[in-house]
Structures are given as C-alpha cells and as structure tokens.
C-alpha cells in the first residue's frame, strides 16, 4: 500500500515589480513635489514641506522598512491650521460648478493611479490586493456620486466659517478619510487631515498631491495625536472636527470640545454583535460569516461577537467551524510564479507587531480566566514566503464564553478574534449583544422576521440587519452610532453635507448622537 502524502506548498516569492522600493520610486516619479528620495513631505499653504521627523516604520507584511509619517510639532500644526483658514476663505467663495469640476478632475487623476494607490495600501496597512483596490474605488466612486448629488444637498446653505479638521484611524485611508475630505471640499470647505500614525501616510500623500494639483484646498500633516490635538481639535480657526478612532482617544477629543461649541462627528468603536435565535438558514449565515473575516476584521462594522441560543449551539458549530478553518491569510504579494495573479486572501497581517502581541495577550487572558478555545489557527496554515518575518500575522481564533473579567468580553478586539456567548432567553441575548454600551451595527439571525424586528428595537446599535450584515454606507444612507460608539452629527448623504455647511436657520439642529441627544431626532 502506498502511503498518502500531502502536496507541498509551492515556493513563493514577492511578485516582481511590486516591492516597496518599486512603489516609492513610482510615487517620486508621479508626484516629485511630495516625495523626496528618502521620505515624505507635509503639505500646507499649497506647499510641500520637508519638515518634521520621519518615524522609522516597518511594513507589517514582512518587516520591510517603509517611509513613515514626518512628525511635526504643535507650532507647525498651528501654522498649518492658519494656512488652511486662508485656503478656506478663498475656496468658500468659489462657485459650486467650479468646485465640482475640480473635485472631478482630482478623482480622475487618482483613478489614473488607482493601482499605485492600492499597492501603497498593501505595504502600509497590510490589505490584500482586492481589498486595497476596493478601498480606492469606494473613495472615488463615492466622490463621483456626491458630485452628482451635491447641488440639492447644499441648496440654501453656505460653507462653515473655518476649515474641517480630520483625524482618522489607519484602516481606510481612501474610502473613509480621503473620501470625507473630497466631500468637505465639494461643499465649499478647506480640509486639513492628520496622517494616521500607524499607516497610510504614503497613500494619502500621493492622493493629496493629485488633489492639490487640481486646485483643491487640502492640507496634510503628520504628528502624534496628543501633541497636535491643541491645534487640530481646539484651534478657533477650525469649523468642524471629523474623528474616526477608538473610544479612549475619542473620549479625550470629546472632552476637549465640550466648551468650544464646535461642530463634530466622532466615530468610535463598539462591540458589534450577531444574535442567533430560532434560526435555520445556516448556509446563508456561513456566507456572511466567511466574508466577515475580510481584512482580519479590522474595520468599524466587523462582527467579532456571536450570541447563540443554546438549543442551536450544535448547529451553529457545524456551520461556523468549517468557515473559520477555511479562512485564507498570508502575504498579499507572494506568488509562485510572476505570471500568477496575486492571491485571493481574506486577510494579510494585522496593522503592526504591537497589535499582534496585544491580541495574543488578550486571547491568553480570556482562556486563562475560563474562556474555552473553540478554534485556534496556526501560522503554518498561512501563505508565506520562506523565511519571511511573520510577527504581525494572527491566525483566526474563536473563544467560547470569555469571562466578564477579561477585555474580550466587553471590547472590540479589532482583529481576527471571535467571541461566542451561549444564552437561554431573549433577555440574555439582548444583554450579551449590548455588552459594550453602544455599537455601530448589529444583526439578528432568525426565521421569524417579526421576532427579529422586535429584538432589533432593543439593541443599542445604529444599524441592525435582519439575516444580513450592515455596512457603513457612504452615500444616501445615513451612518452614526449609539451610546459610546458615536458622538455628534450623523453622516452619509445629505447628513454629511449638512454637517459641514450652515443653513439659513440659526437654530438648526443637526441629526445625531449628541450629549443631550433627546433634542436631536435619530434616524
């Protein structure tokens, strides 16, 4: 009898022409004003400046040194804010047709360099190729949609008295941050952004260079949040603050805004949960859960918590375990032959080595305190180049019943780590799904849609899906949060345009989740 042996994985290498040095050389050729031979520049007052101290950054893909953000101090940030105000005063008087034409020209320029922008996202934040392209496309397609619809949205309204300040997390540099700035400028405001410290600096630098060439009033600076917050959050010149990030940083920003009366929308994380009650459509749920592992669940609308009716737990496991075992992760640019297409992966590394270490510690804590490891993947299951640094890669993990005393019980892991809670009553289901005092999204899986609708009404989440996930939405669908997951005005479609413009009614109340939000109707 011949022994059965598994086929060895093909020997992989970095696809030719897609190295970081190749990408950076293309950036220097495309926008030499923004890229030096060895570093990135900051932008304000229409000038790219060799200022600040670049961070020594490593790509989470494989430890390759990459160009980090050039960190400036608060004095330079204040100078940038004053320059942004000068931009704003000129731009707010530009007629809407001209603003629309310039935004469209900038979008067209970015579309010409779509693949380079995506390649930078792969190296800087670890997105697989398909997801990186999607991030770029969502930004450009969304800006095109707003360019078509903006006239009705701002009819009778005027720009803010000062520029919009943008502070955003690293995970969606194009489809969240650049997209927001394009809409803000379309509405008649100058926009200034702080580069996310953990990734996306080169991608944003290239995008802003292309936008500035078309005459758009955009500024881009780098620096630590604590050092620059006085300028980018509290400066009197700022007309509005747009923030996307964690609750700790968001809480500090909210506290800094209390006495300013400044417009704001602060998106913060929540533990998005999927509740499963009186349900039988397991193939449908498997499809949703598999897609949910995209980008290692490093997004604000990911679902890391599953709350399952006890009587359905065995069926849930039959569906769930094959899904989590089938998740594909590894180096997004590794191929066996240069003629091969880039691999179809669910995710690459997490954002950096520190995050991988943090997740490992949280997993160990949950298990040590009594959580049950239902599934723990292995790095050997990943798709890697022989000998590469894999320190930022985290295989998928699922933990049953993490105890209340550990971080994974209440907080979003922001990584490929699921927690599963088994419950016996609807009240327990709701309590487990509402564990984080507010979330951006939630979903209920149930064959009885009237029951699901009733449960949905008790969930502290802004959007609730019935037998389907919910997404952020960038266009006519509003987006916000409940509880501690959001503070300030809601965005999306006309809500985003209204948040960055002023109407004729001096007592206008923006729709949103404000400290006294009983005064403000929710969607």
């Amino acid at each position: 009898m011949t022994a059965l042996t598994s086929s060895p994985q093909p020997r992989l290498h970095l696809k030719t022409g897609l190295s970081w040095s190749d990408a950076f050389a293309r950036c220097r050729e495309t926008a030499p004003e923004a890229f030096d031979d060895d570093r990135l520049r900051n932008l304000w007052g229409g000038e790219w400046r060799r200022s600040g101290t670049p961070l020594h950054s490593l790509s989470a893909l494989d430890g390759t040194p990459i160009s980090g953000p050039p960190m400036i101090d608060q004095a330079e940030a204040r100078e940038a804010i004053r320059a942004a105000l000068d931009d704003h005063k000129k731009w707010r008087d530009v007629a809407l047709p001209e603003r629309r034409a310039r935004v469209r020209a900038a979008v067209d320029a970015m579309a010409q360099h779509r693949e380079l922008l995506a390649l930078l996202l792969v190296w800087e934040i670890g997105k697989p190729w398909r997801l990186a392209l999607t991030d770029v496309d969502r930004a450009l397609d969304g800006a095109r949609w707003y360019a078509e619809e903006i006239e009705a949205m701002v009819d009778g309204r005027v720009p803010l008295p000062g520029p919009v300040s943008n502070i955003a997390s690293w995970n969606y540099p194009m489809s969240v941050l650049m997209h927001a700035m394009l809409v803000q400028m379309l509405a008649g405001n100058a926009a200034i952004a702080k580069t996310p410290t953990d990734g996306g600096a080169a991608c944003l630098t290239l995008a802003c260079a292309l936008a500035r060439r078309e005459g758009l009033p955009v500024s881009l600076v780098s620096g630590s949040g604590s050092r620059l917050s006085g300028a980018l959050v509290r400066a009197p010149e700022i007309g509005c603050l747009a923030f996307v990030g964690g609750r700790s940083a968001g809480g500090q920003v909210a506290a800094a805004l209390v006495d300013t009366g400044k417009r704001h929308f602060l998106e913060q994380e929540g533990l998005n949960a999927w509740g499963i009650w009186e349900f039988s459509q397991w193939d449908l749920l498997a499809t949703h859960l598999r897609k949910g592992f995209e980008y290692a669940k490093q997004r604000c609308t990911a679902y890391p918590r599953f709350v399952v009716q006890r009587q359905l737990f065995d069926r849930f496991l039959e569906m769930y375990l094959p899904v989590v075992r089938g998740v594909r992760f590894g180096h997004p640019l590794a191929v066996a032959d240069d003629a091969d297409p880039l691999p179809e992966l669910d995710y690459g590394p997490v954002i950096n080595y520190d995050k991988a270490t943090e997740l490992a510690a949280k997993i160990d804590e949950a298990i040590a305190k009594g959580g049950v490891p239902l599934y723990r993947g292995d790095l050997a299951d990943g798709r890697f180049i022989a000998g590469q640094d894999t320190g930022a890669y985290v295989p998928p993990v699922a933990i049953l019943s993490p105890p209340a005393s550990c971080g994974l019980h209440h907080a979003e892991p922001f990584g490929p780590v699921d927690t599963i809670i088994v419950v016996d009553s609807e009240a327990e289901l709701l309590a487990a799904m509402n564990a984080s005092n507010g979330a951006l999204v939630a979903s209920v899986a149930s064959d009885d849609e009237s029951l699901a609708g009733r449960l949905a009404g008790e969930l502290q989440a802004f959007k609730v899906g019935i037998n389907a996930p919910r997404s952020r939405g960038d266009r006519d669908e509003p987006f916000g949060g409940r509880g501690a997951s959001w503070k300030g005005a809601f965005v999306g479609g006309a809500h985003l345009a209204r948040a960055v413009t002023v109407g004729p009614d001096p007592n206008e109340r923006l729709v949103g989740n404000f400290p006294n939000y009983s005064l403000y109707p929710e969607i």
Side-chain angles (χ1 to χ4, degrees):
M1 179 180 292
T2 304
L4 295 176
T5 58
S6 60
S7 301
Q9 288 194 358
R11 188 172 182 84
L12 305 177
H13 67 273
L14 181 67
K15 189 163 185 171
T16 301
L18 299 185
S19 70
W20 169 256
S21 59
D22 293 326
F24 198 79
R26 290 167 61 187
C27 289
R28 291 200 308 269
E29 180 180 353
T30 303
E33 70 273 26
F35 294 83
D36 287 333
D37 289 341
D38 60 342
R39 56 168 291 165
L40 312 174
R41 293 187 172 192
N42 288 292
L43 168 66
W44 70 84
E47 180 181 343
W48 288 96
R49 304 163 189 266
R50 188 181 171 91
S51 62
T53 303
L55 285 183
H56 299 290
S57 299
L58 302 176
S59 172
L61 291 192
D62 55 15
T64 295
I66 62 175
S67 299
M71 311 289 273
I72 63 173
D73 58 24
Q74 187 171 116
E76 284 186 293
R78 291 191 181 280
E79 181 182 339
I81 291 292
R82 288 191 289 268
L85 178 60
D86 291 340
D87 282 344
H88 183 82
K89 290 176 178 178
K90 298 173 185 176
W91 183 250
R92 67 187 178 189
D93 294 328
V94 174
L96 178 56
E98 176 69 13
R99 299 199 305 262
R100 180 191 283 128
R102 293 194 189 185
V103 167
R104 284 173 170 163
V107 167
D108 289 344
M110 292 178 207
Q112 292 178 14
H113 299 284
R114 167 181 179 258
E115 292 196 354
L116 177 55
L117 290 165
L119 181 58
L120 294 170
L121 292 180
V122 176
W123 278 106
E124 293 190 281
I125 63 174
K127 285 197 171 181
W129 180 243
R130 177 179 60 83
L131 299 180
L133 288 172
T134 298
D135 192 10
V136 176
D137 290 343
R138 283 182 60 198
L140 305 186
D141 292 345
R144 291 187 184 104
W145 182 87
Y146 275 94
E148 290 291 328
E149 304 292 334
I150 191 66
E151 191 166 3
M153 294 180 184
V154 300
D155 184 37
R157 306 180 69 82
V158 297
L160 296 170
V164 181
S165 178
N166 294 269
I167 301 173
S169 57
W170 42 265
N171 51 343
Y172 287 91
M174 289 296 295
S175 63
V176 172
L177 181 51
M178 194 68 217
H179 173 268
M181 289 194 290
L182 289 168
V183 177
Q184 293 158 12
M185 293 184 287
L186 186 62
N189 305 284
I192 182 169
K194 187 184 88 66
T195 304
T197 303
D198 287 324
C203 178
L204 287 166
T205 297
L206 178 58
C208 287
L210 297 172
R212 194 77 205 196
R213 285 182 179 180
E214 301 300 334
L216 293 182
V218 60
S219 302
L220 184 68
V221 297
S222 297
S224 70
S226 59
R227 184 171 295 180
L228 302 191
S229 63
L232 297 179
V233 175
R234 288 186 57 86
E237 295 91 341
I238 294 297
C240 179
L241 176 69
F243 171 89
V244 179
R247 289 194 182 185
S248 176
Q252 294 173 22
V253 168
L257 289 172
V258 165
D259 61 347
T260 67
K262 199 180 300 296
R263 288 200 182 193
H264 59 278
F265 36 100
L266 312 182
E267 177 184 333
Q268 301 163 158
E269 90 271 6
L271 183 59
N272 305 322
W274 204 309
I276 301 164
W277 192 265
E278 297 183 5
F279 180 73
S280 64
Q281 304 169 65
W282 300 108
D283 289 345
L284 173 65
L285 187 57
T287 300
H288 293 319
L289 267 55
R290 173 61 184 270
K291 187 174 176 59
F293 272 97
E294 286 185 349
Y295 195 37
K297 301 201 173 190
Q298 295 176 115
R299 60 186 188 280
C300 66
T301 54
Y303 288 80
R305 165 66 52 82
F306 298 94
V307 183
V308 186
Q309 184 179 13
R310 187 177 302 276
Q311 292 180 348
L312 300 178
F313 185 58
D314 57 340
R315 298 299 310 277
F316 173 82
L317 281 186
E318 288 178 18
M319 175 277 302
Y320 177 83
L321 290 176
V323 168
V324 72
R325 291 190 185 108
V327 170
R328 303 159 299 181
F329 65 96
H331 195 305
L333 302 176
V335 295
D337 187 281
D338 279 338
D340 294 342
L342 290 172
E344 280 288 334
L345 301 175
D346 296 301
Y347 67 87
V350 295
I351 184 58
N352 54 37
Y353 298 84
D354 290 343
K355 182 63 180 181
T357 300
E358 173 197 317
L359 287 171
K362 287 182 176 179
I363 293 165
D364 289 345
E365 177 198 29
I367 295 171
K369 290 183 175 181
V372 179
L374 288 179
Y375 181 82
R376 279 188 283 188
D378 194 300
L379 281 177
D381 300 327
R383 193 175 188 278
F384 300 115
I385 297 169
Q388 78 160 81
D389 186 336
T390 59
Y393 290 83
V394 178
V397 174
I399 298 175
L400 175 66
S401 302
S405 59
C406 73
L408 286 179
H409 183 85
H410 298 284
E412 178 185 25
F414 224 63
V417 181
D418 284 345
T419 56
I420 301 168
I421 309 293
V422 177
V423 296
D424 294 298
S425 68
E426 293 178 15
E428 287 181 289
L429 179 93
L430 293 170
M433 293 183 71
N434 289 330
S436 67
N437 182 26
L440 303 175
V441 297
S443 287
V444 178
S446 178
D447 295 340
D448 184 342
E449 293 197 5
S450 62
L451 169 64
R454 177 169 56 79
L455 293 172
E458 300 296 322
L459 294 174
Q460 292 301 305
F462 180 73
K463 293 182 180 180
V464 181
I466 305 299
N467 296 325
R470 296 307 310 271
S471 66
R472 190 179 196 274
D474 293 321
R475 304 182 186 181
D476 53 354
E477 184 181 17
F479 188 63
R482 292 192 182 225
S485 68
W486 192 282
K487 297 182 187 300
F490 292 156
V491 297
H495 295 291
L496 177 53
R498 292 187 188 118
V500 295
T501 56
V502 179
D505 181 0
N507 298 314
E508 177 185 41
R509 292 172 174 170
L510 297 175
V511 176
N513 185 2
F514 292 89
N516 186 15
Y517 72 89
S518 61
L519 296 176
Y520 300 84
E522 294 197 29
I523 301 301

